[in-house]
Amino acid sequence: MAKTLGDPILSVAKRGMHRLEVIGNKVAMRSFHVMLTAGVVSILVFTDTPLRRSIDSNDLLFPGVYFGCILLSIVLYLVSSLVDPGYVSRVNSVGPTAVRIRLPLDGDVDDPESVCMNPSPTNKTIRLRQCKRCVVVQPLRAKHCEVCDRCVRKYDHHCPWLATCVGENNHKWFWMFLLSQVFAITLSIYYEWHSFIPNSDWSSWFKLNILYILSQAVLFISGFFASLLFGCHTYLMFTGFTTWEYMAHSRITYLKDFATNPFDRGYLCNCLAFLCRCKSTQWERRLPIIGGYVGECGEDFDKFNTETDTYFDNLPPADSERYV
């Protein structure tokens, strides 16, 4: 069917409506999170609880720790949700279309000397995918998010609670938010657990403690999911994976030929890189015989672009499909 003049206008209008919907969802979710947190804290502060009694007796050590955890969790939540997760720029869309990787047949891929001594390396060219929606060549580990309608560097997942993607720039903040949230929820459960008003009659007990019961239900559900997510992302941090890569390892172009994670540099280095990284990473440098390994192995630099860490000799065009 031939395209009409109204098709581009309709497409722009749909994207505009989608963007407004995304913005509205972000405002709603972040407001809900702050109000839910404020509601739980208000129950502990304005009713007869151990927290309130500590405040009244000027014993401010434990209340200070508790409010510090609450404040830290809110700040980290806002940072995680407001910071750019690592959107791939649509302005500078021209870049390398492929990277060439030498997969060693023997030896340890993490050991440059072992790789260099391998007499029969296998050359493999991985085509970088071109996103039709963003009209950019996706860097390694990037993926298009259907909800945000943007390509995200080192894409992990789209978080409905944050109302944004978790990617290269905000993954560490998301992990720290989960850690602070687990502590805040644990302290809240402790204070409320010791706030129940005893009564021999079940009906009277339920009426007296209805606020605590509802609050505890919210805290236990939230604590379960926060603890589960914290454990999962701690594992991903130490292993150098993302959620997307871990779940779809066998279907991702740049991973399916590796039996293990090629970006894994050991638990300590993975952890330090995860927590201390302050700028975007050229992940081509983390693969075997790419980046630093090239110089150490005496590769031909005439065929290697040291600025982008990519080969340009006889590379195929960028794949127009997205990562599966």
Side-chain angles (χ1 to χ4, degrees), residues 56-305:
D56 291 339
S57 63
N58 292 323
D59 183 11
L60 302 181
L61 176 60
F62 290 107
V65 172
Y66 176 74
F67 289 122
C69 285
I70 294 294
L71 180 61
L72 181 62
S73 69
I74 293 176
V75 170
L76 289 173
Y77 172 80
L78 294 176
V79 171
S80 303
S81 59
L82 294 176
V83 73
D84 178 356
Y87 293 130
V88 178
S89 174
R90 288 172 172 169
V91 177
N92 300 319
S93 60
V94 179
T97 59
V99 291
R100 177 159 296 171
I101 302 170
R102 291 177 56 196
L103 303 179
L105 299 179
D106 300 301
D108 182 5
V109 297
D110 289 327
D111 182 4
E113 294 184 2
S114 171
V115 175
C116 292
M117 293 171 61
N118 182 359
S120 303
T122 300
N123 291 323
K124 177 177 177 57
T125 298
I126 294 180
R127 291 180 296 176
L128 300 181
R129 301 301 182 101
Q130 186 178 49
C131 178
K132 293 180 180 180
R133 293 283 292 179
C134 298
V135 197
V136 297
V137 177
Q138 294 176 335
L140 278 185
R141 311 192 83 178
K143 184 182 181 296
H144 185 86
C145 174
E146 298 293 341
V147 180
C148 295
D149 197 27
R150 294 289 300 273
C151 289
V152 181
R153 291 179 178 274
K154 199 189 173 191
Y155 176 86
D156 188 87
H157 71 288
H158 181 88
C159 179
W161 195 256
L162 295 181
T164 190
C165 287
V166 175
E168 187 168 52
N169 292 347
N170 67 341
H171 199 172
K172 64 180 178 182
W173 300 113
F174 178 67
W175 181 84
M176 287 188 281
F177 160 68
L178 291 174
L179 176 60
S180 64
Q181 192 75 347
V182 169
F183 273 108
I185 290 174
T186 302
L187 290 175
S188 297
I189 291 175
Y190 170 80
Y191 279 123
E192 286 198 353
W193 189 263
H194 292 84
S195 301
F196 282 97
I197 304 171
N199 194 293
S200 58
D201 181 58
W202 279 101
S203 177
S204 299
W205 179 88
F206 184 82
K207 291 178 181 179
L208 289 171
N209 297 288
I210 183 63
L211 284 178
Y212 301 137
I213 294 172
L214 294 176
S215 181
Q216 285 283 63
V218 171
L219 289 171
F220 271 107
I221 295 173
S222 302
F224 171 77
F225 286 107
S227 300
L228 182 63
L229 284 171
F230 175 72
C232 291
H233 284 275
T234 299
Y235 170 80
L236 295 173
M237 174 181 68
F238 280 106
T239 56
F241 264 121
T242 66
T243 300
W244 163 248
E245 291 171 341
Y246 184 80
M247 298 297 292
H249 184 282
S250 61
R251 296 187 289 118
I252 297 177
T253 307
Y254 60 87
L255 286 181
K256 61 184 180 181
D257 292 316
F258 291 93
T260 58
N261 180 15
F263 303 106
D264 183 10
R265 291 176 289 162
Y267 295 146
L268 180 59
C269 289
N270 289 338
C271 182
L272 291 175
F274 181 90
L275 295 174
C276 302
R277 182 181 299 114
C278 299
K279 60 181 180 179
S280 297
T281 300
Q282 292 177 315
W283 289 104
E284 294 86 349
R285 297 179 63 88
R286 306 305 181 191
L287 290 173
I289 314 304
I290 286 294
Y293 286 179
V294 172
E296 293 167 353
C297 294
E299 283 291 337
D300 184 4
F301 275 84
D302 293 336
K303 298 180 180 180
F304 190 77
N305 187 315

